[in-house]
C-alpha cells in the first residue's frame, strides 16, 4: 500500500509513517524529494533519463570523531520487523541500519550507488542491467553475488509473499523477470519500457533490501545484512541496540560505535525524551510539535521539502461525487495555506489537485494555483445542499477537522467517521476495505521519488489503490507514454496532460505536499539530517 508518513503506525496502505506528516501513510515504495531537479539525469548520466550511472559516494565529513552511541527515539513497530512485509517507519529504520539496497536515495532524491556500482538501460528501457559492487560480504561472511540479488527480488515479486513492494512493480516487473548475466551482473526484464526503473529497486521502494538467498523470515532473531550496523538485541516493547559492523563495505564507516533505539508510546513522550537528553534524535518527528523547539537549547530541527501528501479521495462512481461540479466545488472551498499552517506547521508546499509536485522536474508550470473561492463554490453547486461522510484513521484527524471546518464555512456539511487504523486499512482489499471503498476518505501517502509511483496505483484505470474509482483513457495513455519517454520534452508534454486531467476532474484533492523534519541534539552530534521519507542514514553521523 502507500507508505509511511509521519508518526509511524502504518498498515499495508498507501501511507506509512515515514516522512512529513507520515503516520499511517502510504509508502508504496517511494519518497519525496527536495530539489528534485536533476532527478532524471541521475538515472542515466547527465544526458538523459536512461543509460549508465556511476555516482560518487557522499563526501566524508571533515575530521569526524569516532566512537560513541547515538540514542534515537521512535514508536514501537506495530507488526513484525520483516524486510519483506514491513510498512511502518520504525521497522524500516531498524532494518535499514542492518541491511542495504542496490541504490540509496539521498535527501534530494538523487540515486546513490550502494550494493550496485552502476546500472544501464538496454533495449529501449525494457531491460536494465545492474553491476554489483565487488568485495561486499554479509555480516556472517557470505559474499554478495548476483544470485543473491536475484533471490531477493524473486521473493519480493512472489504474490504469495505479500510484500509491500509488489504494488510498486505493478505492470512494470513481474515474477520471473530477474536473471543473472554473470556473478556481478543482474538483469531486470520489464513488462514495458520504464525509464525511471532504477528508482523502483532503490530505497524509494523500501522493501527492496538485499537479503541472503536462504532468508525465510525471523529477521530480528537472525539479523544478517550488508549494512553499517549489527542488530545486537530487539525487544518489541522497549527498543533495539546496534553495534558497528566491522565487515561494512564502505571503508571507515560508520563512525559511531553503535545506535540505541528506544520505543515511546506517543509523540509527546518521544519529544520529552529528546528535550530531557534521554535520546539524541527522533526517527520520526512531527512538524507541528518540533516547530516551537527550533533554536531552543540543544535542539536542532532540520527540514527538507518532500512529496508526501494526504489524499482527499472522492468516489467518482457514486453520488454525490459522480458529478464533476460537486468535486470541483469542494476543491474551491478549501483554504490551502490554512491547511498547511494548521496541519503541517507551514512546512509543506501548496498542492493543486494533481500528482505532479513542483519538485518533480516534469511538473507543469502553467496550471493556475487553485485557491479558495466561495463565489465559485456557490456557482458550481447551483443552490444544491451538499452533505457527505468523510472516513479516516487517527493520523489524519487534524486534517479531517480542518476540512470539516473549512467546508462548513461555505455551507457544506461533513460528517466525520474516524476508524482505528486497523479497521481503516483492514477488510478485503478487493471489495470492502474502508480506505479504498468509502465515499470520501483521507489517506496519507509518503513521498515518492517519481510521479509514476503515485499515478499508477492511485489514478490509472483499475489501479491497485484507486480509491476514487477514476478512469480516464487519455490519462492512462499519457501515463504510459510518460514512463517510456527518454527525453525531458516528451516527459513534460505527457505530464501536462496528466496534471490538467486530474486538476479538472478532481477525483483526488491534494491541498499540500508535506515536507519532513527531524529533531536532534545539535550540540552532541553532527551528520544528522531530515530525509523526505524519514529514512535514517547514520553512516556519516559522528560526535561533536
Amino acid at each position: 500500500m502507500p507508505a509511511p508518513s509521519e508518526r509511524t503506525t502504518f498498515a499495508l496502505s498507501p501511507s506509512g509513517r515515514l516522512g512529513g506528516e507520515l503516520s499511517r501513510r502510504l509508502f508504496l515504495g517511494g519518497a519525496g524529494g527536495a530539489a528534485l531537479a536533476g532527478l532524471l539525469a541521475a538515472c542515466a548520466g547527465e544526458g538523459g533519463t536512461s543509460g549508465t550511472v556511476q555516482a560518487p559516494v557522499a563526501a566524508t565529513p571533515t575530521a569526524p570523531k569516532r566512537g560513541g552511541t547515538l540514542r534515537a527515539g521512535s514508536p514501537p513497530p506495530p507488526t513484525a520487523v520483516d524486510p519483506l512485509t514491513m510498512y511502518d517507519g520504525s521497522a524500516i529504520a531498524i532494518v535499514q541500519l542492518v541491511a542495504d539496497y542496490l541504490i540509496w536515495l539521498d535527501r534530494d532524491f538523487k540515486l546513490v550507488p550502494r550494493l550496485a556500482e552502476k546500472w544501464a538501460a538496454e533495449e529501449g528501457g525494457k531491460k536494465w542491467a545492474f553491476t554489483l559492487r565487488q568485495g561486499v560480504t554479509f555480516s556472517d561472511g557470505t559474499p554478495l553475488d548476483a544470485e543473491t540479488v536475484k533471490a531477493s527480488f524473486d521473493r519480493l515479486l512472489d504474490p504469495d509473499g505479500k510484500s509491500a513492494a509488489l504494488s510498486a512493480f505493478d505492470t512494470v516487473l513481474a515474477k520471473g523477470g530477474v536473471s543473472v548475466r554473470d556473478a556481478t551482473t543482474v538483469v531486470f526484464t520489464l513488462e514495458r519500457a520504464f525509464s525511471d526503473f532504477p528508482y523502483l529497486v532503490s530505497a524509494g521502494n523500501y522493501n527492496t533490501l538485499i537479503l541472503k538467498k536462504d532468508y525465510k523470515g525471523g529477521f530480528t532473531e537472525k539479523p544478517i545484512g550488508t549494512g553499517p550496523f549489527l542488530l545486537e538485541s530487539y525487544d518489541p516493547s522497549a527498543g533495539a541496540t546496534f553495534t558497528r559492523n566491522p565487515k561494512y563495505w564502505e571503508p571507515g564507516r560508520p563512525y559511531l560505535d553503535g545506535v540505541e533505539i528506544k520505543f515511546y508510546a506517543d509523540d509527546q513522550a518521544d519529544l520529552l525524551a529528546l528535550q530531557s537528553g534521554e535520546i539524541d534524535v527522533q526517527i520520526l518527528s512531527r512538524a507541528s510539535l518540533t516547530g516551537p523547539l527550533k533554536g531552543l537549547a540543544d535542539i536542532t530541527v532540520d527540514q527538507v521539502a518532500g512529496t508526501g501528501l494526504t489524499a482527499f479521495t472522492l468516489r467518482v462512481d457514486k453520488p454525490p461525487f459522480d458529478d464533476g461540479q460537486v468535486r470541483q466545488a469542494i476543491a474551491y472551498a478549501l483554504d490551502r495555506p490554512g491547511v498547511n499552517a494548521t496541519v503541517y506547521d507551514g512546512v509543506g508546499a501548496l498542492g493543486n489537485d494533481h500528482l505532479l509536485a513542483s519538485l518533480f522536474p516534469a511538473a507543469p508550470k502553467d496550471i493556475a494555483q487553485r485557491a479558495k473561492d466561495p463565489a465559485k463554490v456557490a456557482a458550481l453547486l447551483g443552490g444544491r445542499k451538499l452533505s457527505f461522510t468523510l472516513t479516516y484513521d487517527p493520523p489524519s484527524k487534524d486534517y479531517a477537522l480542518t476540512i470539516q471546518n473549512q467546508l462548513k464555512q461555505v455551507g457544506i456539511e461533513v460528517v466525520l467517521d474516524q476508524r482505528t487504523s486497523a479497521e481503516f486499512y483492514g477488510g478485503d482489499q478487493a471489495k470492502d476495505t474502508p480506505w479504498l471503498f468509502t465515499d470520501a476518505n483521507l489517506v496519507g501517502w509518503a513521498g515518492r521519488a517519481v510521479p509514476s509511483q503515485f499515478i499508477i496505483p492511485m489514478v490509472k484505470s483499475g489501479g491497485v489503490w484507486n480509491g476514487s474509482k477514476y478512469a480516464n483513457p487519455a490519462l492512462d495513455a499519457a501515463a504510459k507514454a510518460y514512463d517510456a519517454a527518454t527525453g525531458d520534452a516528451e516527459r513534460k508534454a505527457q505530464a501536462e496532460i496528466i496534471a490538467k486531467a486530474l486538476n479538472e476532474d478532481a477525483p483526488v484533492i491534494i491541498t499540500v505536499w508535506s515536507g519532513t523534519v527531524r529533531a536532534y541534539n545539535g550540540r552532541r552530534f553532527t551528520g544528522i539530517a531530515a530525509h523526505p521519507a524519514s529514512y535514517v542514514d547514520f553512516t556519516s553521523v559522528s560526535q561533536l
Side-chain angles (χ1 to χ4, degrees):
M1 316 189 113
S5 241
E6 190 161 60
R7 182 120 196 88
T8 260
T9 307
F10 309 39
L12 289 184
S13 68
S15 98
R17 174 63 186 223
L18 272 180
E21 271 308 325
L22 297 169
S23 200
R24 175 149 197 98
R25 320 238 177 218
L26 299 172
F27 196 74
L28 207 197
L36 288 177
L39 200 77
L40 303 176
C43 195
E46 297 181 359
T49 60
S50 64
T52 300
V53 178
Q54 194 159 7
V57 176
T60 301
T62 303
K65 183 179 179 181
R66 295 189 174 278
T69 297
L70 179 71
R71 301 164 302 165
S74 182
T79 57
V81 177
D82 186 328
L84 271 69
T85 59
M86 64 186 184
Y87 51 78
D88 68 278
S90 295
I92 292 167
I94 290 168
V95 175
Q96 285 179 343
L97 292 174
V98 177
D100 214 340
Y101 298 91
L102 292 177
I103 309 168
W104 182 250
L105 284 178
D106 219 338
R107 69 180 263 137
D108 60 0
F109 267 72
K110 289 183 303 188
L111 294 168
V112 180
R114 282 279 180 93
L115 300 182
E117 286 189 317
K118 58 184 179 180
W119 47 94
E122 300 175 352
E123 298 182 14
K126 290 201 69 174
K127 278 190 177 183
W128 285 84
F130 285 70
T131 302
L132 303 182
R133 187 179 301 277
Q134 298 187 46
V136 177
T137 64
F138 285 86
S139 52
D140 67 349
T142 303
L144 172 73
D145 60 15
E147 290 286 355
T148 301
V149 174
K150 178 183 182 302
S152 290
F153 282 95
D154 286 345
R155 275 192 298 267
L156 292 171
L157 293 166
D158 183 353
D160 295 331
K162 298 180 180 179
S163 173
L166 272 174
S167 57
F169 292 122
D170 186 38
T171 77
V172 178
L173 177 67
K175 184 179 179 180
V178 187
S179 60
V180 171
R181 179 171 293 170
D182 55 48
T184 61
T185 308
V186 181
V187 178
F188 297 86
T189 301
L190 310 187
E191 295 185 280
R192 59 190 175 92
F194 198 88
S195 57
D196 279 337
F197 179 72
Y199 288 97
L200 301 190
V201 295
S202 74
N205 193 359
Y206 58 95
N207 296 104
T208 59
L209 293 135
I210 305 304
L211 307 174
K212 289 188 64 179
K213 282 187 283 189
D214 60 356
Y215 179 77
K216 291 182 174 61
F219 185 81
T220 54
E221 287 75 40
K222 196 175 181 181
I224 300 173
T226 60
F229 295 94
L230 307 174
L231 178 61
E232 293 293 316
S233 67
Y234 176 73
D235 183 329
S237 62
T241 59
F242 306 79
T243 57
R244 187 178 186 276
N245 179 7
K247 294 185 174 70
Y248 185 52
W249 59 267
E250 189 174 0
R253 305 289 184 95
Y255 304 127
L256 296 168
D257 287 334
V259 174
E260 179 182 357
I261 296 180
K262 298 181 179 182
F263 296 151
Y264 294 92
D266 56 57
D267 293 322
Q268 291 286 358
D270 195 348
L271 193 63
L272 287 173
L274 178 66
Q275 291 177 283
S276 69
E278 184 175 311
I279 60 173
D280 306 305
V281 61
Q282 291 184 307
I283 299 293
L284 303 165
S285 293
R286 178 174 292 184
S288 59
L289 294 179
T290 60
L293 300 181
K294 294 177 182 178
L296 297 180
D298 299 336
I299 307 301
T300 297
V301 181
D302 190 42
Q303 175 178 322
V304 64
T307 60
L309 62 95
T310 295
F312 181 3
T313 306
L314 307 174
R315 284 281 297 269
V316 304
D317 61 338
K318 296 179 65 177
F321 305 122
D322 56 346
D323 185 335
Q325 289 189 318
V326 170
R327 300 194 301 270
Q328 285 238 350
I330 293 172
Y332 279 107
L334 295 173
D335 171 13
R336 293 156 201 260
V339 172
N340 191 17
T342 303
V343 181
Y344 299 101
D345 195 43
V347 170
L350 298 189
N352 203 21
D353 304 331
H354 60 71
L355 294 170
L356 280 297
S358 61
L359 292 175
F360 294 135
K365 309 298 183 185
D366 59 349
I367 300 177
Q369 173 62 54
R370 185 163 280 152
K372 182 177 180 179
D373 189 340
K376 193 166 185 68
V377 173
L380 287 165
L381 292 179
R384 291 173 291 177
K385 293 294 183 182
L386 179 61
S387 175
F388 65 91
T389 297
L390 180 64
T391 306
Y392 60 95
D393 73 332
S396 293
K397 181 178 180 179
D398 289 347
Y399 193 16
L401 289 168
T402 300
I403 287 175
Q404 182 187 49
N405 180 60
Q406 290 190 358
L407 294 187
K408 183 179 180 180
Q409 294 174 25
V410 294
I412 299 174
E413 179 187 15
V414 179
V415 178
L416 299 183
D417 173 25
Q418 179 173 304
R419 312 284 185 93
T420 65
S421 292
E423 182 184 4
F424 185 67
Y425 291 106
D428 188 328
Q429 300 295 306
K431 64 181 181 181
D432 63 13
T433 183
W435 77 276
L436 291 178
F437 289 94
T438 48
D439 292 351
N441 58 60
L442 298 176
V443 179
W445 291 66
R448 269 61 168 169
V450 292
S452 297
Q453 290 179 295
F454 289 122
I455 295 165
I456 292 171
M458 199 193 302
V459 294
K460 280 192 73 174
S461 301
V464 64
W465 291 334
N466 188 335
S468 68
K469 313 310 172 192
Y470 178 67
N472 182 336
L475 181 144
D476 294 347
K480 184 176 181 180
Y482 177 93
D483 291 338
T486 56
D488 290 346
E490 177 64 12
R491 277 175 171 264
K492 289 180 179 179
Q494 301 303 329
E496 185 168 4
I497 294 172
I498 296 167
K500 285 183 174 179
L502 292 174
N503 178 268
E504 175 67 24
D505 295 341
V508 179
I509 295 173
I510 300 163
T511 59
V512 177
W513 295 92
S514 64
T516 304
V517 298
R518 175 161 287 144
Y520 65 96
N521 189 319
R523 293 188 182 178
R524 291 200 64 211
F525 290 93
T526 185
I528 297 173
H531 189 281
S534 290
Y535 287 161
V536 296
D537 182 359
F538 292 156
T539 57
S540 299
V541 175
S542 69
Q543 300 179 88
L544 286 173

